[in-house]
Amino acid sequence: MKRPDNRIRPSEITPPEVYFDRRQMMALGLASLAAGGIAGRRALAAEAGNASTILAARYKAARNTKLSIASTPNTYEAITTYNNFYEFGTDKSDPSQNAREFRTTPWNVEIGGECEVKGSFTLEDILKPVTFEERVYRLRCVEAWSMVIPWVGFPLADLIKRFKPTSKAKHVEFTTLLDRQQMPGQRYRVLDWPYVEGLRMDEAMHPLTFMVVGVYGRILPNQNGAPLRLVTPWKYGFKNIKSIVRIRFVEKQPLNSWQVAAPNEYGYYANVNPKVDHPRWSQATERRIGGSLFAQRSATEMFNGYAEQVASLYAGMDLTRNF
Amino acid sequence: MNITQRYRWLYKPAVFIIALLPLARLVAGAFGIAGISLGADPVNEILHECGKTALQLLLITLAVRPLVRLGRLHNLLRLRRMLGLFAAFYALLHFVTYAWLDQNLDFQAILADILKRPYITIGMAALLMLVPLAVTSTNGWMRRLGRRWQKLHYLIYPIAILGVWHFWWQVKADIREPLAYAAILAALLGYRVVVKARSVSATARGRSADPAP
């Protein structure tokens, strides 16, 4: 039996400008209704009954211009159809096809290890006290392509502080959901499932390190790592672990999945570095997604252009060895 | 229509058109014709599609001889030259895409890649060997080279091995697809080894040998 094709065609996707206008009008409408007293309030309640409308408004977060770059972001379509998310298949187009039915509610995140506040937290618990903001970051994949993406999220540091890591907490280890039913890519041992990533404590606490819950002012699509993913813009994309279900504070440096798969090709730090090549390809240049067929490659910048903010984290380290 | 006419007017044109379909899709996608899209990274799509099509045509070309023997389809040999030429054509397109669209004709970077990246080195070697085979595929060259023509065209075996190896070596983790190519190639080469071994032992026993594979 052929399943109905419920894919969103590119033509159906609202351009961000139109989308934002619509949101603003809705907010205005709500405000004037509220001003209108009882009748207004009743109507407002009816509106509010549509909880997703209110929820969605939260993702239209103000842009943190200080930490955003000025470049024009890639299109919503490119960001949501060109994905490396091997849990849903190894082709770039697989995740947007195979993650459609992925259930992200209810979602729990287990916090453990070297910290005072431990346990299982619902996503709502995690997200309630934080303020969302939008940050336009560069994304550089280890495969030498790059994008510019307007993420919505909050600093990881804000989250970490709530769990009161102890002095023994030297690293943070993140784990992706393991669910062979829902994540067809996990049925093949392409990687050692579940996906694991880690950050040194000072990297995790860095103001650029972002926990992402949305993109382009909308809730994060499944193929982009819903409902909760990491973004470290100065590192190669594979550090940005998706669909996180566990965060542990640990003393020893965790083994991240790609390092386990090919230790001579992928390290723990994975800092973007044009001078240290991947053994099988050069990292000196990158192809920016969204350009014309004949677009020129651009030079890759040290720490993906974030050297000013993060270079001090690695002072005195041999970045050729600690790749 | 007799068999020669059928090949000339039906089968050969059909194979010709089918072999051009992957290119037609890429061209349509590159220019957004007929709603065809190559996705967010068209350069990569063109690169991989040309490379894989070249390998597929190479394997199909190598499958002709076993099919001729096992299926008694001797006339299939009439299609083999076209298939081989299309394999060379897509391999060349694969290289042009890499050099031009991917590397912006930065010859220094291309040369560094060829020298430093083993999977590119072997891919380049396979392509360089493919060129003389394409050039000498005409009747004139077959006549001129005589027996040496066959010897030269045995290069198809190392070319196919290097080509599949080149594909295998560049994937990051999911080797299932190159593994499939390698398995098919192993079967096609294994078949020839078996045939050869049988013919050698048959000759040793003084019986008339099978024709060469």
Side-chain angles (χ1 to χ4, degrees), chain B residues 7-172:
Chain B
Y7 266 88
R8 169 178 281 178
W9 300 111
L10 290 176
Y11 303 152
K12 276 188 177 178
V15 170
F16 189 87
I17 288 166
I18 291 168
L20 279 176
L21 288 179
L23 179 64
R25 184 183 77 88
L26 293 177
V27 171
F31 296 99
I33 300 163
I36 295 171
S37 160
L38 300 180
D41 192 355
V43 175
N44 214 37
E45 178 66 18
I46 296 169
L47 188 66
H48 288 169
E49 184 70 10
C50 288
K52 278 192 229 173
T53 306
L55 280 182
Q56 287 159 15
L57 285 163
L58 211 52
L59 294 180
I60 292 171
T61 307
L62 283 173
V64 168
R65 175 64 73 185
L67 285 174
V68 164
R69 280 180 60 99
L70 297 171
R72 309 209 179 283
L73 300 162
H74 195 76
N75 285 303
L76 276 183
L77 283 172
R78 296 169 194 245
L79 297 173
R80 197 170 58 168
R81 168 160 48 191
M82 194 200 290
L83 290 166
L85 278 170
F86 266 114
F89 171 68
Y90 278 101
L92 202 63
L93 278 182
H94 176 64
F95 174 72
V96 169
T97 306
Y98 158 74
W100 184 22
L101 300 183
D102 187 54
Q103 295 293 322
N104 313 133
L105 298 177
D106 179 346
F107 290 106
Q108 225 180 322
I110 293 166
L111 193 68
D113 260 358
I114 292 171
L115 297 176
K116 271 164 75 180
R117 323 268 165 226
Y119 84 93
I120 296 182
T121 316
I122 60 172
M124 201 63 218
L127 182 69
L128 287 179
M129 286 194 273
L130 208 45
V131 171
L133 300 204
V135 170
T136 59
S137 65
T138 61
N139 290 339
W141 273 105
M142 288 179 88
R143 228 183 5 259
R144 249 167 287 163
L145 290 174
R147 301 186 104 201
R148 283 172 300 163
W149 187 91
Q150 181 61 65
K151 271 193 180 156
L152 177 67
H153 280 249
Y154 280 139
L155 276 179
I156 191 77
Y157 301 126
I159 288 168
I161 292 168
L162 291 178
V164 171
W165 192 2
H166 165 75
F167 181 28
W168 188 306
W169 216 340
Q170 59 84 46
V171 300
K172 268 168 73 191

Side-chain angles (χ1 to χ4, degrees), chain B residues 167-168 175-184:
Chain B
F167 181 28
W168 188 306
I175 55 152
R176 279 171 287 167
E177 204 179 353
L179 188 65
Y181 284 73
I184 293 168

Side-chain angles (χ1 to χ4, degrees), chain A residues 78 82 86 90 143 188 190 258 266 277-282 287 289-290 293-297, chain B residues 30 40-44 46 100-104 113 116-117 119 169-174 176:
Chain A
Y82 194 73
Y86 279 17
T90 52
E143 298 163 348
Y188 306 96
V190 174
W258 276 104
Y266 309 97
D277 283 348
H278 181 279
R280 287 181 285 153
W281 55 82
S282 165
R287 195 171 54 250
I289 300 297
L293 213 51
F294 306 101
Q296 296 291 304
R297 297 179 80 88
Chain B
D41 192 355
V43 175
N44 214 37
I46 296 169
W100 184 22
L101 300 183
D102 187 54
Q103 295 293 322
N104 313 133
D113 260 358
K116 271 164 75 180
R117 323 268 165 226
Y119 84 93
W169 216 340
Q170 59 84 46
V171 300
K172 268 168 73 191
D174 189 358
R176 279 171 287 167

Side-chain angles (χ1 to χ4, degrees), chain A residues 99-121:
Chain A
R100 276 182 241 160
E101 320 263 291
F102 183 55
R103 290 185 306 274
T104 55
T105 41
W107 192 270
N108 290 292
V109 183
E110 189 200 315
I111 310 289
E114 308 290 347
C115 60
E116 286 173 31
V117 182
K118 299 179 201 205
S120 184
F121 295 82

Side-chain angles (χ1 to χ4, degrees), chain A residues 156-174:
Chain A
L156 175 61
D158 289 358
L159 186 65
I160 288 180
K161 282 174 200 155
R162 282 158 59 192
F163 306 122
K164 301 193 170 70
T166 67
S167 60
K168 273 181 151 178
K170 304 284 189 240
H171 295 266
V172 188
E173 180 193 272
F174 305 86

Side-chain angles (χ1 to χ4, degrees), chain A residues 25-37:
Chain A
M25 271 164 57
M26 238 144 65
L28 272 175
L30 284 173
S32 60
L33 278 172

